[in-house]
Short mmCIF file of all heavy atoms in Angstrom, two decimals:
data_model
loop_
_atom_site.label_atom_id
_atom_site.label_comp_id
_atom_site.label_asym_id
_atom_site.label_seq_id
_atom_site.Cartn_x
_atom_site.Cartn_y
_atom_site.Cartn_z
N TRP A 115 -8.89 24.91 11.80
CA TRP A 115 -9.98 23.96 11.54
C TRP A 115 -11.34 24.58 11.89
O TRP A 115 -12.30 24.46 11.15
CB TRP A 115 -9.73 22.71 12.40
CG TRP A 115 -10.45 21.46 12.02
CD1 TRP A 115 -11.34 21.28 10.99
CD2 TRP A 115 -10.32 20.19 12.66
NE1 TRP A 115 -11.77 19.96 10.96
CE2 TRP A 115 -11.16 19.28 11.99
CE3 TRP A 115 -9.59 19.74 13.76
CZ2 TRP A 115 -11.29 17.94 12.37
CZ3 TRP A 115 -9.69 18.40 14.13
CH2 TRP A 115 -10.53 17.51 13.44
N PRO A 169 -2.57 5.88 8.39
CA PRO A 169 -3.88 6.49 8.55
C PRO A 169 -4.27 7.35 7.34
O PRO A 169 -4.68 8.50 7.47
CB PRO A 169 -3.68 7.36 9.79
CG PRO A 169 -2.25 7.84 9.65
CD PRO A 169 -1.50 6.74 8.95
N SER A 171 -6.14 7.42 3.20
CA SER A 171 -7.45 7.16 2.62
C SER A 171 -7.33 7.25 1.10
O SER A 171 -6.25 7.57 0.57
CB SER A 171 -8.46 8.21 3.11
OG SER A 171 -8.06 9.51 2.66
N TYR A 173 -8.21 9.54 -0.59
CA TYR A 173 -7.88 10.94 -0.90
C TYR A 173 -6.38 11.15 -1.15
O TYR A 173 -5.99 12.09 -1.85
CB TYR A 173 -8.38 11.84 0.24
CG TYR A 173 -8.04 13.31 0.08
CD1 TYR A 173 -8.51 14.04 -1.02
CD2 TYR A 173 -7.25 13.97 1.03
CE1 TYR A 173 -8.19 15.39 -1.16
CE2 TYR A 173 -6.94 15.31 0.89
CZ TYR A 173 -7.41 16.02 -0.20
OH TYR A 173 -7.09 17.35 -0.35
N PRO A 339 -12.59 15.13 17.98
CA PRO A 339 -11.93 15.46 16.71
C PRO A 339 -10.49 15.93 16.91
O PRO A 339 -9.63 15.64 16.08
CB PRO A 339 -12.81 16.57 16.12
CG PRO A 339 -13.60 17.12 17.26
CD PRO A 339 -13.77 15.99 18.23
N LEU A 342 -8.36 12.89 17.53
CA LEU A 342 -8.23 12.18 16.26
C LEU A 342 -7.19 12.85 15.36
O LEU A 342 -6.32 12.18 14.79
CB LEU A 342 -9.59 12.13 15.56
CG LEU A 342 -9.64 11.41 14.21
CD1 LEU A 342 -9.44 9.91 14.39
CD2 LEU A 342 -10.97 11.68 13.50
N ALA A 343 -7.28 14.17 15.25
CA ALA A 343 -6.33 14.91 14.40
C ALA A 343 -4.90 14.75 14.90
O ALA A 343 -3.98 14.52 14.11
CB ALA A 343 -6.72 16.39 14.35
N ALA A 344 -4.69 14.86 16.22
CA ALA A 344 -3.34 14.72 16.78
C ALA A 344 -2.79 13.33 16.49
O ALA A 344 -1.63 13.17 16.10
CB ALA A 344 -3.37 14.98 18.28
N ILE A 346 -3.63 11.14 14.11
CA ILE A 346 -3.39 10.89 12.68
C ILE A 346 -2.27 11.78 12.14
O ILE A 346 -1.34 11.29 11.48
CB ILE A 346 -4.68 11.10 11.86
CG1 ILE A 346 -5.66 9.95 12.14
CG2 ILE A 346 -4.39 11.22 10.37
CD1 ILE A 346 -7.02 10.10 11.44
N LEU A 347 -2.33 13.08 12.42
CA LEU A 347 -1.39 14.01 11.79
C LEU A 347 0.04 13.84 12.31
O LEU A 347 0.99 14.17 11.60
CB LEU A 347 -1.86 15.45 11.98
CG LEU A 347 -3.19 15.80 11.30
CD1 LEU A 347 -3.48 17.28 11.43
CD2 LEU A 347 -3.18 15.40 9.83
N PHE A 350 1.81 11.93 9.82
CA PHE A 350 2.16 12.66 8.60
C PHE A 350 3.38 13.56 8.82
O PHE A 350 3.91 14.11 7.86
CB PHE A 350 0.96 13.48 8.11
CG PHE A 350 -0.05 12.65 7.39
CD1 PHE A 350 -1.05 11.98 8.07
CD2 PHE A 350 0.01 12.49 6.00
CE1 PHE A 350 -1.98 11.18 7.41
CE2 PHE A 350 -0.90 11.69 5.32
CZ PHE A 350 -1.90 11.04 6.03
N GLU A 374 -5.45 19.95 3.05
CA GLU A 374 -5.25 18.55 2.63
C GLU A 374 -5.22 17.62 3.84
O GLU A 374 -5.87 16.57 3.85
CB GLU A 374 -3.93 18.43 1.85
CG GLU A 374 -3.97 19.05 0.47
CD GLU A 374 -2.60 19.13 -0.18
OE1 GLU A 374 -1.57 18.95 0.53
OE2 GLU A 374 -2.54 19.41 -1.38
N LEU A 375 -4.47 18.02 4.85
CA LEU A 375 -4.33 17.18 6.04
C LEU A 375 -5.65 17.01 6.77
O LEU A 375 -6.03 15.90 7.17
CB LEU A 375 -3.28 17.77 6.99
CG LEU A 375 -1.84 17.76 6.48
CD1 LEU A 375 -0.96 18.65 7.35
CD2 LEU A 375 -1.28 16.34 6.45
N LEU A 376 -6.39 18.08 6.92
CA LEU A 376 -7.66 18.03 7.65
C LEU A 376 -8.74 17.32 6.85
O LEU A 376 -9.65 16.72 7.43
CB LEU A 376 -8.10 19.44 8.06
CG LEU A 376 -7.25 20.08 9.17
CD1 LEU A 376 -7.59 21.55 9.34
CD2 LEU A 376 -7.40 19.33 10.50
N THR A 377 -8.65 17.36 5.52
CA THR A 377 -9.61 16.61 4.70
C THR A 377 -9.46 15.12 4.95
O THR A 377 -10.46 14.40 5.09
CB THR A 377 -9.41 16.94 3.21
OG1 THR A 377 -9.69 18.33 3.00
CG2 THR A 377 -10.34 16.11 2.33
N ASN A 378 -8.22 14.66 5.06
CA ASN A 378 -7.99 13.25 5.36
C ASN A 378 -8.53 12.89 6.75
O ASN A 378 -9.17 11.86 6.93
CB ASN A 378 -6.50 12.92 5.26
CG ASN A 378 -6.22 11.45 5.52
OD1 ASN A 378 -6.62 10.57 4.76
ND2 ASN A 378 -5.56 11.16 6.63
N VAL A 379 -8.31 13.77 7.72
CA VAL A 379 -8.83 13.55 9.08
C VAL A 379 -10.35 13.53 9.05
O VAL A 379 -11.00 12.68 9.70
CB VAL A 379 -8.32 14.65 10.05
CG1 VAL A 379 -9.02 14.53 11.42
CG2 VAL A 379 -6.81 14.56 10.23
N MET A 380 -10.96 14.43 8.30
CA MET A 380 -12.42 14.52 8.22
C MET A 380 -13.05 13.26 7.63
O MET A 380 -14.18 12.89 8.00
CB MET A 380 -12.84 15.75 7.42
CG MET A 380 -12.68 17.07 8.15
SD MET A 380 -13.75 17.23 9.62
CE MET A 380 -15.36 17.43 8.86
N ILE A 381 -12.35 12.61 6.73
CA ILE A 381 -12.88 11.35 6.16
C ILE A 381 -13.05 10.32 7.28
O ILE A 381 -14.05 9.59 7.33
CB ILE A 381 -11.97 10.83 5.03
CG1 ILE A 381 -12.10 11.75 3.80
CG2 ILE A 381 -12.29 9.39 4.66
CD1 ILE A 381 -11.06 11.52 2.73
N TYR A 382 -12.10 10.28 8.22
CA TYR A 382 -12.24 9.39 9.38
C TYR A 382 -13.33 9.88 10.33
O TYR A 382 -14.08 9.08 10.90
CB TYR A 382 -10.91 9.30 10.14
CG TYR A 382 -9.87 8.40 9.50
CD1 TYR A 382 -9.01 8.88 8.51
CD2 TYR A 382 -9.75 7.07 9.88
CE1 TYR A 382 -8.05 8.06 7.93
CE2 TYR A 382 -8.80 6.24 9.31
CZ TYR A 382 -7.95 6.73 8.33
OH TYR A 382 -7.01 5.91 7.75
N TRP A 383 -13.40 11.22 10.51
CA TRP A 383 -14.33 11.78 11.50
C TRP A 383 -15.79 11.59 11.08
O TRP A 383 -16.59 11.07 11.85
CB TRP A 383 -14.03 13.27 11.73
CG TRP A 383 -15.01 13.90 12.67
CD1 TRP A 383 -16.03 14.77 12.35
CD2 TRP A 383 -15.10 13.67 14.08
NE1 TRP A 383 -16.73 15.10 13.48
CE2 TRP A 383 -16.18 14.44 14.55
CE3 TRP A 383 -14.36 12.90 14.98
CZ2 TRP A 383 -16.55 14.46 15.90
CZ3 TRP A 383 -14.73 12.91 16.32
CH2 TRP A 383 -15.81 13.69 16.77
N VAL A 384 -16.13 12.00 9.87
CA VAL A 384 -17.54 11.97 9.47
C VAL A 384 -18.07 10.55 9.26
O VAL A 384 -19.28 10.32 9.30
CB VAL A 384 -17.80 12.82 8.20
CG1 VAL A 384 -17.41 14.27 8.44
CG2 VAL A 384 -17.10 12.26 6.96
#
Side-chain angles (χ1 to χ4, degrees):
W115 198 359
S171 63
Y173 177 61
L342 181 69
I346 288 176
L347 296 186
F350 281 86
E374 288 170 347
L375 293 167
L376 289 170
T377 297
N378 182 66
V379 172
M380 285 296 288
I381 289 168
Y382 282 87
W383 176 254
V384 300

